[in-house]
Amino acid sequence: MDTILYPPTINYYKSYQRPQQLFKALNNIGYRIIFCNYNPQESNSYFKEVFKEFYICNKINPYRISKLDSLPILWITYPPFASFIEQYPYRLLVFDAIDEVSNEFESWQNGLDILIRKADVIFTTSHKLFEYHSYYRDDVFLCPNGADYEYFNKASNIFSDRPCDMPKNNNITVGYFGAIATWINWPFVNNIANLNPDINFVFIGPLFNLARFPLKLNNVYYLKNKNYDRLINYLQYFDICFIPFKITNMTRGCNPIKMYEYLSAGKIVVATDFDEAKMCKYVYTINSKDYLQFRKFIDNLLAEDSEELRLKRIEFAKNNSWQNRARLVDEVLKRKLGTY
């Protein structure tokens, strides 16, 4: 059994991101996963099995445990970790380029050149990142983000009572979940919320690079962060799903996971016109300068929506599941290892 080792990079338990999702899908098709947790506040050391052959390792040298019976595939997502690579012997080095190293992620530039040079294979989440890395080498593969389809598809129909902190009115609800971050176009959100006081704008997620939620309007609701297993309870009541990103170098290279999660529920998805949103035929994009047209834009989408369109969105998400992403990765890794 091939082992993928993910060195200490993120907190496994804090938010369910691409590494957790993709590794769980790879685990389902036969890979052993050792996820080295990163949580400076936690002093306990442990090595525990959370799924069959999927282990969380905390403050323990993963090379001293019996489960690691051969050199692993070392999987890196955070370029600055490149300076620690020599501490982790490996049979294959994978660099998973998940974000553009600019703007909020400018510090990720440190170590990027090392990974471009040393990695045995590079996966990229977006077309922009694919083009960038393909300039330097041939063995680069586009592996966009995907959907936990089986989970988010449950929100395609109303299955539970309305959460008590959701707006208590019958207005159209435009919803967003994800990082409450500086890359959201807050002036655009402020403009459309001010112009449309009878629309609910609901935001769910942890603050990132922000001390407080930026807006104070009666029709803008910040419901704070929710556990992953509660997200669909809110998603089922969104009429429109929203991705209002600023257009920057970073967001031009962004392939949002939430895009596939929203579509798994068959929801209408509206985004600002960053590159990956424009490339998706089931996402409707709007330029932030057209904020005066926002109400007409979503009214038309709601009026023109149909069961046929909803099912097409769901089918698209199903075809872009993490399971399908794992199959792509598996084929590339087996060819690299000569076991295909």
Side-chain angles (χ1 to χ4, degrees):
M1 176 180 288
D2 289 315
T3 298
I4 294 176
L5 175 64
Y6 188 55
T9 308
I10 60 175
N11 185 346
Y12 177 84
Y13 300 100
K14 189 172 182 180
S15 61
Y16 221 52
Q17 303 176 44
R18 175 181 171 99
Q20 291 98 320
Q21 297 275 22
L22 185 54
F23 294 154
K24 182 62 173 67
L26 286 164
N27 173 246
N28 286 339
I29 61 173
Y31 286 83
R32 177 186 294 120
I33 306 295
I34 298 179
F35 190 112
C36 296
N37 201 36
Y38 178 74
N39 183 3
Q41 285 73 46
E42 185 176 19
S43 58
N44 294 335
S45 59
Y46 53 79
F47 180 78
K48 59 185 178 182
E49 190 173 21
V50 290
F51 308 106
K52 184 175 175 57
E53 296 293 351
F54 191 121
Y55 302 90
I56 306 297
C57 176
N58 195 67
K59 299 185 186 303
I60 290 177
N61 185 338
Y63 290 87
R64 294 185 177 179
I65 55 180
S66 59
K67 295 294 179 182
L68 196 57
D69 47 15
S70 62
L71 287 181
I73 299 165
L74 185 62
W75 191 286
I76 305 294
T77 58
Y78 179 56
F81 199 89
S83 58
F84 299 100
I85 285 177
E86 301 308 321
Q87 298 178 26
Y88 293 82
Y90 55 84
R91 62 191 294 215
L92 198 72
L93 177 62
V94 173
F95 174 40
D96 192 12
I98 60 176
D99 281 301
E100 167 77 22
V101 290
S102 58
N103 302 106
E104 287 87 351
F105 299 111
E106 185 68 39
S107 63
W108 289 26
Q109 190 69 44
N110 179 28
L112 182 63
D113 58 335
I114 297 174
L115 290 174
I116 291 174
R117 186 172 67 253
K118 289 191 172 184
D120 296 295
V121 61
I122 296 177
F123 294 107
T124 70
T125 57
S126 71
H127 292 80
K128 182 183 179 186
L129 290 172
F130 176 79
E131 290 172 6
Y132 174 82
H133 288 287
S134 295
Y135 177 82
Y136 296 100
R137 51 189 297 165
D138 295 327
D139 45 0
V140 178
F141 301 88
L142 179 65
C143 180
N145 287 317
D148 183 354
Y149 171 78
E150 297 293 337
Y151 171 64
F152 285 99
N153 180 249
K154 295 174 185 175
S156 60
N157 295 294
I158 300 299
F159 65 89
S160 67
D161 292 339
R162 192 179 186 89
C164 61
D165 52 351
M166 282 283 283
K168 296 175 174 59
N169 57 50
N170 294 318
N171 294 342
I172 295 169
T173 295
V174 175
Y176 168 96
F177 57 66
I180 307 300
T182 48
W183 54 76
I184 291 178
N185 191 329
W186 294 111
F188 172 58
V189 176
N190 183 70
N191 286 337
I192 59 177
N194 266 313
L195 287 168
N196 300 281
D198 59 339
I199 294 178
N200 303 319
F201 292 87
V202 172
F203 289 84
I204 296 170
L207 298 175
F208 182 90
N209 282 351
L210 293 171
R212 63 184 65 86
F213 188 76
L215 302 180
K216 289 186 178 180
L217 294 169
N218 290 334
N219 60 327
V220 177
Y221 302 82
Y222 176 45
L223 308 187
K224 300 186 178 179
N225 198 21
K226 305 295 177 186
N227 289 337
Y228 182 78
D229 60 5
R230 290 279 295 160
L231 287 178
I232 56 174
N233 295 73
Y234 292 84
L235 177 59
Q236 63 182 329
Y237 287 101
F238 291 177
D239 299 301
I240 299 282
C241 290
F242 204 24
I243 313 179
F245 289 172
K246 293 189 292 188
I247 309 302
T248 66
N249 285 334
M250 190 276 284
T251 61
R252 289 188 186 100
C254 176
N255 181 258
I257 296 176
K258 64 180 62 61
M259 185 166 69
Y260 304 101
E261 294 170 343
Y262 294 159
L263 292 170
S264 295
K267 299 292 183 177
I268 298 170
V269 181
V270 171
T272 46
D273 52 350
F274 58 93
D275 293 0
E276 293 288 307
K278 289 193 295 184
M279 291 181 191
C280 180
K281 65 183 294 187
Y282 294 109
V283 173
Y284 303 95
T285 60
I286 184 170
N287 190 292
S288 60
K289 294 178 181 179
D290 297 330
Y291 61 88
L292 293 172
Q293 303 301 316
F294 182 79
R295 181 54 179 268
K296 181 179 179 181
F297 184 64
I298 66 165
D299 281 348
N300 287 340
L301 291 177
L302 288 167
E304 295 168 2
D305 200 26
S306 65
E307 180 67 9
E308 181 182 2
L309 285 173
R310 191 177 74 89
L311 292 175
K312 284 182 178 180
R313 293 192 288 263
I314 289 173
E315 185 65 20
F316 172 83
K318 186 176 183 179
N319 291 335
N320 286 274
S321 67
W322 287 116
Q323 285 73 24
N324 284 341
R325 300 293 187 249
R327 293 186 189 101
L328 183 158
V329 170
D330 178 51
E331 181 178 338
V332 172
L333 295 182
K334 280 184 165 55
R335 289 188 185 279
K336 279 289 179 180
L337 293 169
T339 58
Y340 188 74

